[in-house]
Amino acid sequence: MLNIIYSRHSSGNNKATQGKKTLVKFLSDDYGVLTIKKYTNQNKPERETDADPNLIYLGFCQKEEDFIEAVRSYDDENGIQCDVADEKFIYIYTQVKHDTTYFYGIKRADVFNALRDYETHYALVCTNIGCLRTIKDDADQERLLCRRLDGKDVFQLRAYCLVRQNKDNSVAEDTENEANSLLNNIMQMLVERFKKGSESNDDDLQRLVDKYIKSNLSDGRPYFLPYGEALELDFFRNVALFSNLLLIPECGDLKSEKGRNSYRDSVGSIVEKYMGLKKQSDRKKKVFIVHPMSPCKFSLKTDDENQIINTPLLSKDGKAIEQNLITKQFHLLIQTVFKCNDDAYELCFAQDVQYSHHGTKDLIPKILAEIRNADIVISDLSNFNQNCIYEAGFAYALQGVNDKEVYFLIPSQQMPLLSRLCFDINGIDWIDYNLQTMIGSFDDVKSQVERIRKKIKLPDVVLKKKLCQPLTEYPKA
């Protein structure tokens, strides 16, 4: 889901201390919204506190083609994939600051990837109406504006116009005073019409919107409206690009705890209503489990080592139990580990992704996307499955990014072989488990679940039998 926030920079005496930077940081910290970064040809400010964390500063260049080349060079130096063959790989717009024209660039791939990811909220701040309309048109052409889920159309792009509301409910004292007064009068009239039951497709109303609202917005001027969030402004949906206004009230000094709490309380209810966001403290943490989905083994050096790998993880009377039962038992073990905190965690196994996409086509990219979006990744390397090793390495590289936690599991039977792998695993804290001993044994299940929960830093709980049942009995002959 992509949330576009349209906003203009402050000008003249119109000094907004709680504008787009404050809002985006709030969305990131409290709601886990991921921000799409923009490129700019500005020089990075000398003071770190003056730098916008959502901008990539490339250094000044005068021509657009030089700016594009600077973006490509930055991506190349930082190992970021960039389709250099596509001349339209980046959206560019300009902005004049202190009589100097600066470029801003938004990568099309970043926009399209956000639109394809229906589970994660992304934010893009833009100050140019023309650029936003191009993004919308391209997304529509690529059929990315909405997708069909559970028989319903789910729209992937929502756009809002950010309006900073003055604390004293007065209009800004600058050259735009007259325009603000005009717009406020129009809104007053529209509100009265709504109270009397006028429909949003009323011809006179539509003409007013076209004549005043659209023309003023295309000019990109910020408006300080003396109305609060309670005003629904349904008429604004006539502006095709935007879903609604985000009216952000003045909340005082954000350097103080009182100001921060005021901002959190006031703005939180607004963005939750219009964006459909949930606070990170209220949402379930996503847990993604990497595990083998095929019998493919990692080739070790000697027959003895391969024999250990092929030792059954579950057996009865010395005979191997079929692979699907091992998978079932492993699922049950992980579910038991998190069962005591059902309301806090949302589990997804790699096999779930395979089933949801009906096969293995493009499976690896989908699993990598799940790893990126997960708060916790559990990597099971039983049988040293090659795909799992690749995915585990990918997850390990992302450890710590957005507080992502990564843990590695291995069957007890295969622990001795870890030191014989052809890559360095020193420093990795492995968690071993033994499905065989858990068959019918509550005490062993309890012991292993407690140990795993401690390793992955889950809170201490009392594991009673109803929460920690023994794993499935052996199948009867």
Side-chain angles (χ1 to χ4, degrees), residues 95-115:
Q95 186 171 303
V96 178
K97 291 183 178 181
H98 308 296
D99 298 325
T100 302
T101 300
Y102 292 103
F103 296 111
Y104 292 84
I106 305 164
K107 286 182 66 176
R108 294 173 82 243
D110 292 343
V111 172
F112 288 176
N113 288 338
L115 289 171

Side-chain angles (χ1 to χ4, degrees), residues 293-308:
M293 290 180 287
S294 72
C296 180
K297 307 294 190 301
F298 185 88
S299 297
L300 294 171
K301 295 181 179 179
T302 68
D303 292 339
D304 291 342
E305 290 170 338
N306 282 311
Q307 186 176 353
I308 295 176

Side-chain angles (χ1 to χ4, degrees), residues 407-425:
Y407 302 96
F408 296 90
L409 273 64
I410 193 76
S412 302
Q413 296 94 321
Q414 296 174 355
M415 278 287 289
L417 296 181
L418 286 174
S419 61
R420 310 294 286 276
L421 293 175
C422 59
F423 44 86
D424 189 4
I425 58 162

Side-chain angles (χ1 to χ4, degrees), residues 70-326:
V71 172
R72 288 175 169 159
S73 298
Y74 177 90
D75 285 355
D76 186 54
E77 291 172 5
N78 290 273
I80 302 173
Q81 286 189 342
C82 176
D83 188 357
V84 294
D86 185 359
E87 291 301 322
K88 293 176 62 179
F89 83 103
I90 192 168
Y91 299 108
I92 296 177
Y93 65 92
T94 60
Q95 186 171 303
V96 178
K97 291 183 178 181
H98 308 296
D99 298 325
T100 302
T101 300
Y102 292 103
F103 296 111
Y104 292 84
I106 305 164
K107 286 182 66 176
R108 294 173 82 243
D110 292 343
V111 172
F112 288 176
N113 288 338
L115 289 171
R116 291 188 181 102
D117 185 357
Y118 63 90
E119 289 188 345
T120 306
H121 275 274
Y122 295 82
L124 170 62
V125 174
C126 189
T127 59
N128 184 276
I129 289 285
C131 179
L132 294 183
R133 294 199 184 281
T134 303
I135 289 175
K136 180 177 179 291
D137 291 342
D138 283 358
D140 193 19
Q141 186 176 356
E142 295 287 330
R143 299 184 179 181
L144 292 174
L145 281 182
C146 65
R147 68 169 66 213
R148 195 80 175 167
L149 287 176
D150 299 326
K152 297 180 181 179
D153 285 328
V154 179
F155 287 89
Q156 295 293 94
L157 182 145
R158 297 174 180 174
Y160 308 88
C161 182
L162 175 63
V163 181
R164 277 90 72 174
Q165 179 188 10
N166 277 2
K167 190 175 183 179
D168 59 0
N169 286 343
S170 64
V171 294
E173 297 179 358
D174 59 13
T175 56
E176 299 179 60
N177 216 349
E178 183 180 347
N180 277 287
S181 299
L182 175 63
L183 186 58
N184 288 336
N185 290 334
I186 294 171
M187 288 187 173
Q188 186 85 37
M189 181 171 52
L190 293 176
V191 170
E192 292 301 320
R193 288 199 179 202
F194 283 124
K195 287 180 179 177
K196 294 176 182 178
S198 294
E199 298 294 333
S200 60
N201 59 2
D202 181 279
D203 290 341
D204 293 337
L205 178 60
Q206 184 62 57
R207 278 195 290 272
L208 284 172
V209 170
D210 289 341
K211 182 176 180 180
Y212 296 108
I213 309 297
K214 286 187 178 181
S215 61
N216 285 329
L217 279 175
S218 64
D219 209 13
R221 290 177 290 187
Y223 293 99
F224 291 78
L225 308 180
Y227 300 105
E229 185 260 346
L231 177 60
E232 293 297 333
L233 299 174
D234 287 342
F235 73 89
F236 199 75
R237 293 192 178 90
N238 285 284
V239 182
L241 183 64
F242 298 102
S243 301
N244 218 312
L245 296 177
L246 286 180
L247 294 167
I248 305 301
E250 174 66 44
C251 299
D253 182 11
L254 296 188
K255 294 180 181 178
S256 68
E257 184 176 354
K258 181 179 178 181
R260 289 193 296 271
N261 289 336
S262 175
Y263 190 91
R264 184 175 291 109
D265 294 340
S266 301
V267 180
S269 61
I270 296 171
V271 299
E272 286 174 21
K273 177 177 181 179
Y274 290 119
M275 292 183 169
L277 299 175
K278 290 184 178 180
K279 291 182 180 178
Q280 293 204 86
S281 56
D282 295 337
R283 74 174 181 87
K284 292 184 177 182
K285 281 192 172 184
K286 293 183 179 181
V287 182
F288 185 69
I289 301 97
V290 173
H291 62 99
M293 290 180 287
S294 72
C296 180
K297 307 294 190 301
F298 185 88
S299 297
L300 294 171
K301 295 181 179 179
T302 68
D303 292 339
D304 291 342
E305 290 170 338
N306 282 311
Q307 186 176 353
I308 295 176
I309 281 185
N310 287 288
T311 299
L313 301 180
L314 281 176
S315 64
K316 184 178 182 182
D317 300 329
K319 295 182 179 179
I321 300 296
E322 56 188 13
Q323 178 66 34
N324 62 353
L325 181 61
I326 296 175

